[in-house]
Amino acid sequence: MRDYIIRRVLLLVPNLFILATLTFFLARVLPGDVALGLVAEDGSVINQEAVQVIRDRLGLNDPMPVQYARWMLQLLQGDLGKSDVSDISVVKVVAETAEVTFLLAILSVIIGAVMAIPFGILSAMMRGRWPDQVIRTFSAVFLALPNFWLGILLLLALVTWFSWSPPIFQETFLDAPVEQLQRLILPSIAIGTSFAAVATRLTRSTMLEVLNQDYIRTARAKGLFPNRVIVRHALPNAVLPVITLSALLFAGLLNGAVVLERIFALPGMGVEIVTATSERDFQLLQGLVLVLGAFVMVWMLLIDLLYVALDKRIQLE
Amino acid sequence: MIAAPERSEVAPTRTRRIAVSSWRIMRKHPTGAVGLVILILILLFILSAGILTPHRYDRTLSGKAAPMMSRGFDDELLVLGGDELGRDILTRLQHAGRTSFVIGLAAPLLGVTLGTIIGIVSAYRGGIVDLLVQRVVDVLISLPGLVLAMAVTLALGFSVWGVIVALSLNVVGGSSRVVRSHALTQSQLEYVQAARALGASDLRIIFRHLLPNSMAVSLVLFTVGVGAAITAEAGLSFLGLGVQPPTPSWGNMLTFAQQYFRFGAHIAIIPGLTIAIVVFAINLVGDSLRDILDPHLRGRG
C-alpha cells in the first residue's frame, strides 16, 4: 500500500513535466501572436516597429528552445508568470476564476450523484419492471442531450416564463454563498443530468452484479431486513464505481463547464481560456491549462487512492 | 475450381443466411434495431439535401426567425421556419447533417485507430515504452478535450479536417487506455505465447493476433465516439471555434441560437433536438453492439 502511494505520487513528476511541455506547444501552434492583436487595437495600419517592440518585451523573438527553457525555469520557481495582455499575474487570474469553474464541476457531480444513486438502485431492484424501464429510458434520453443545449433551454424557459436572466456580479462563494449557489445551480443541473445519466446506468449494473453475490444471499438468509441488506451490504460496493467514474469524467465535466460558463455569463476559467486563446495570450493560456490539467491529475490520483483504501477487494502487489 | 453456375447457386443462400441471422440479432436486440432504423432515416434525410426542399441553405428567404410553417418573402413554404438570418432551417439541417456526420464518423475513426495501435504497442512492448507512452496518455486524459480541440482547430484552420483532427485527439487517450488493458490480458494468453514460441515476429503477433482480438473493443469505442464527436463538434462550434459559416453544421446552427431565441425558440430547439435524436439512436445501436460483441463490457460507461 505504501509503495503504491509512493509510486503513484512519483509518477506525477513526469506527468506534470509532459503537461507543462504540452501546454507550451499548445500555445505555440496557434497562428499569430499577441503583438499583432495589441497593435491592431491601436490603429488600423499595423505598425511593424511597434509589433517588434512588444515581441522583444515579451521575449517572443527568442528562439523556441529559449522560450521553452524560460517557461520551464519559471515553473520550477513556482511562478506562472504574467498575462501578456494585461500584465496581471496568472496566479491572480487563476485564483479569481477557479472558484466558479470548480464549484460548477463539484456541484454537478453532487447533483448527478444525488439523482443517479437512488435511481440506479431502484432500477436494479425493480429489474425488468416498469420503474426500471422508465429510469433506463430517461437515462438513455439524458445521455443523448448535449449539456450546453440543456443549458440554453433552461435559460430559455426562465427568460420566457419568469423573465429571469443570469445575474452579473463579482462576489466569491465566501462573501455571498447563497447568491453564488443560485447563480451556479442551473448550469450545474445541465452538466449534472448528463453525468447522472451515465452514473445511473453504472450504479444499476454494479448493483445487479453485487446483488447476485454470495454475501448478499447470506445476509438475506440470516433474515436481515431487505432494506438493511441493501443499505448496509450492497450499497457501499455499488457506489464505489460511481466515485471512480466521477474522477474519470472530471475532465469531461470541465468541458461542460467551459461552454456553460459562456451561456450563463459566469466568470470562470473556461471563459478565460477562450479569451486567452483568441488574444494569443500565451502566458495566461499556458498557466490556465496547466492548472486545470494538474488539478485533474491530482484529483484522479486522490480518487484512485481513496478507492484502494475503501475497497477491501483490491489486492495490491 | 468452382464453376460459374455453381457460384450463382451459392450466392442467394448466403444472402439469405445473412438476412436470417441479422433478423435474429435484431429480434434479440430490439432497441438496437430501433436505433438503426432512426439512423437510416436520418441518413436518408441528410442525403436528400437539395431534393427534399427547393431552397438553398445559404439564402435569406424570410424575416428574422420566421416561425414554423410560415411563408417567406416570395411565398415559399418554410416548414421548420427560418433561422436568425431568415434561411430555411429544414434545408440547413440537411446540409449541416453532412458536415456533422462526416466529422462524427471521421474523428472517432482516426482517434480510435490511433488509440488502438498505441494501446496495443504499449501493452505488448511493456517496460520503458509502456511507461513513457502511458505518461503522455495520462496527460491527454487529464486535459479537458475542448481546450485541446480549441488550440488544434485554431492551428489547423477552421476547416472540416481541422475539426476532425482536433476532435480525434480527444479520443486517442481514453481509447488507448481501454485497448491497452484489454491487450495486456490478451498478451498473457497461451495463444500469443505459442505464436512467440513458434518464432512469430512482434509485428506479426501485433497485427495477426492482438489487433484482430481488440477489434470488438475498438468497434464499441468507435460507436461511443461517434455520438461524443457530434456533441463535441456542437460545443466547439458554439464557442465559435468549430466549422465556420457559411458551411453549416448542427453545432454552428446553435452558435447564435442564444442571442436570437427571444425571437423564436425553434432556432435553439430544432438543431439541438436533431443532435439529441442522432446521439440517442447511436447510443442504442452502440449498447446492442456492446452486448453482441463483448459481454464483459456490458453496463460500463
Side-chain angles (χ1 to χ4, degrees):
Chain A
M1 181 72 189
R2 206 190 62 211
D3 289 351
Y4 176 77
I5 295 176
I6 292 173
R7 200 183 103 90
R8 285 298 308 269
V9 173
L10 280 182
L11 278 180
L12 271 182
V13 178
N15 281 3
L16 286 174
F17 173 76
I18 295 172
L19 178 66
T21 308
L22 192 74
T23 50
F24 176 82
F25 287 107
L26 206 62
R28 307 298 138 151
V29 295
L30 298 175
D33 62 28
V34 68
L36 290 170
L38 284 178
V39 173
E41 266 173 24
D42 300 337
S44 52
V45 182
I46 289 178
N47 180 346
Q48 281 304 326
E49 257 173 61
V51 170
Q52 289 309 325
V53 169
I54 294 174
R55 281 188 186 154
D56 273 337
R57 182 167 60 83
L58 297 173
L60 293 170
N61 278 333
D62 297 338
M64 206 58 92
V66 174
Q67 293 188 36
Y68 175 68
R70 197 164 50 220
W71 162 243
M72 282 304 187
L73 279 175
Q74 192 189 315
L75 284 182
L76 280 180
Q77 293 163 354
D79 181 14
L80 287 176
K82 285 176 179 173
S83 156
D84 288 344
V85 175
S86 59
D87 222 34
I88 300 171
S89 91
V90 173
V91 176
K92 193 158 178 277
V93 178
V94 170
E96 278 167 5
T97 52
E99 185 192 291
V100 164
T101 305
F102 289 126
L103 269 182
L104 196 58
I106 291 165
L107 215 55
S108 313
V109 172
I110 295 174
I111 290 175
V114 165
M115 287 197 277
I117 293 171
F119 281 134
I121 293 171
L122 188 68
S123 187
M125 288 169 65
M126 299 272 190
R127 188 185 186 174
R129 305 227 294 275
W130 68 264
D132 182 30
Q133 308 283 6
V134 171
I135 291 169
R136 289 177 69 189
T137 313
F138 267 92
S139 69
V141 168
F142 277 102
L143 194 62
L145 298 182
N147 52 26
F148 73 93
W149 185 62
L150 208 59
I152 295 180
L153 289 190
L154 281 173
L155 195 59
L156 172 67
L158 285 168
V159 169
T160 24
W161 291 327
F162 302 102
S163 12
W164 178 91
S165 59
I168 296 164
F169 62 94
Q170 301 276 348
E171 272 172 286
T172 59
F173 181 68
L174 289 175
D175 291 337
V178 179
E179 285 81 0
Q180 186 72 303
L181 284 183
Q182 273 178 350
R183 181 161 74 146
L184 292 175
I185 193 78
L186 279 178
S188 305
I189 290 175
I191 308 175
T193 40
S194 41
F195 175 67
V198 188
T200 307
R201 287 152 62 107
L202 188 69
T203 311
R204 177 181 182 274
S205 65
T206 46
M207 194 71 190
L208 282 176
E209 217 169 277
V210 169
L211 286 177
N212 276 330
Q213 279 173 9
D214 290 341
Y215 75 95
I216 295 293
R217 199 171 305 134
T218 313
R220 281 195 176 131
K222 279 198 304 189
L224 289 185
F225 289 111
N227 289 340
R228 197 180 158 78
V229 174
I230 299 292
V231 174
R232 287 284 306 221
H233 295 259
L235 190 60
N237 283 327
V239 167
L240 276 174
V242 179
I243 296 176
T244 323
L245 185 76
S246 72
L248 283 175
L249 289 184
F250 205 79
L253 289 171
L254 290 172
N255 267 340
V258 171
V259 191
L260 278 146
E261 279 167 17
R262 171 97 152 209
I263 297 173
F264 285 89
L266 298 168
M269 291 176 89
V271 172
E272 207 62 50
I273 286 176
V274 177
T275 320
T277 310
S278 57
E279 286 177 344
R280 309 290 188 273
D281 190 339
F282 290 169
Q283 283 289 329
L284 184 57
L285 178 64
Q286 286 167 210
L288 287 166
V289 175
L290 186 74
V291 171
L292 266 190
F295 181 84
V296 175
M297 271 179 194
V298 174
W299 174 273
M300 275 158 78
L301 172 66
L302 287 178
I303 294 285
D304 265 6
L305 295 182
L306 185 72
Y307 196 86
V308 173
L310 287 180
D311 195 338
K312 311 285 186 301
R313 291 170 297 182
I314 295 179
Q315 295 288 319
L316 294 167
E317 289 162 31
Chain B
M1 285 298 287
I2 302 164
E6 223 172 309
R7 192 181 285 171
S8 68
E9 266 171 36
V10 173
T13 55
R14 193 164 164 228
T15 349
R16 207 185 132 77
R17 204 172 62 225
I18 290 170
V20 167
S21 66
S22 16
W23 174 246
R24 226 172 256 154
I25 288 172
M26 290 212 192
R27 285 274 308 260
K28 218 177 146 201
H29 299 272
T31 50
V34 170
L36 202 60
V37 170
I38 298 176
L39 276 186
I40 290 171
L41 288 178
I42 298 245
L43 274 178
L44 286 176
F45 170 73
I46 289 166
L47 291 174
S48 66
I51 305 168
L52 193 71
T53 62
H55 310 308
R56 284 175 53 90
Y57 69 84
D58 54 357
R59 183 162 298 162
T60 297
L61 300 170
S62 67
K64 197 188 287 174
M68 289 193 234
M69 296 309 286
S70 64
R71 296 269 165 186
F73 299 136
D74 296 326
D75 207 39
E76 316 93 325
L77 179 68
L78 276 71
V79 177
L80 291 178
D83 67 359
E84 70 275 1
L85 296 175
R87 298 169 295 192
D88 182 37
I89 289 184
L90 182 66
T91 314
R92 285 181 66 71
L93 218 48
Q94 291 180 295
H95 286 273
R98 291 184 177 179
T99 321
S100 293
F101 253 91
V102 167
I103 292 171
L105 291 174
L109 187 66
L110 191 64
V112 173
T113 309
L114 266 176
T116 304
I117 293 171
I118 292 173
I120 290 176
V121 171
S122 182
Y124 182 72
R125 297 294 305 185
I128 188 83
V129 176
D130 189 37
L131 194 70
L132 288 178
V133 170
Q134 289 314 307
R135 297 293 70 74
V136 178
V137 169
D138 271 346
V139 173
L140 279 179
I141 291 176
S142 55
L143 278 181
L146 269 183
V147 172
L148 206 62
M150 248 165 16
V152 178
T153 28
L154 273 169
L156 296 177
F158 298 110
S159 63
V160 172
W161 280 105
V163 176
I164 289 173
V165 173
L167 294 180
S168 72
L169 279 179
N170 292 348
V171 188
V172 174
S175 59
S176 76
R177 202 31 68 89
V178 177
V179 171
R180 173 180 173 269
S181 67
H182 179 81
L184 268 181
T185 45
Q186 288 289 316
S187 54
Q188 301 299 320
L189 295 180
E190 276 99 353
Y191 79 95
V192 174
Q193 285 169 3
R196 203 176 298 151
L198 285 171
S201 67
D202 288 351
L203 277 180
R204 189 183 162 82
I205 293 177
I206 287 175
F207 282 100
R208 291 282 304 186
H209 299 291
L210 294 177
L211 195 60
N213 275 308
S214 303
M215 267 333 206
V217 180
S218 303
L219 193 62
V220 171
L221 285 169
F222 169 75
T223 338
V224 177
V226 176
I230 290 178
T231 319
E233 184 276 324
L236 208 54
S237 293
F238 183 76
L239 293 173
L241 294 163
V243 181
Q244 294 294 301
T247 310
S249 80
W250 287 334
N252 70 23
M253 287 180 76
L254 279 169
T255 308
F256 298 105
Q258 201 189 347
Q259 277 107 302
Y260 289 92
F261 67 51
R262 282 150 231 251
F263 299 101
H266 64 289
I267 297 182
I269 293 176
I270 294 169
L273 197 62
T274 315
I275 297 172
I277 292 171
V278 171
V279 176
F280 180 69
I282 291 169
N283 287 349
L284 289 183
V285 174
D287 281 355
S288 303
L289 212 58
R290 172 158 48 193
D291 286 353
I292 296 164
L293 290 176
D294 196 345
H296 298 296
L297 282 171
R298 201 168 294 167
R300 300 241 178 109

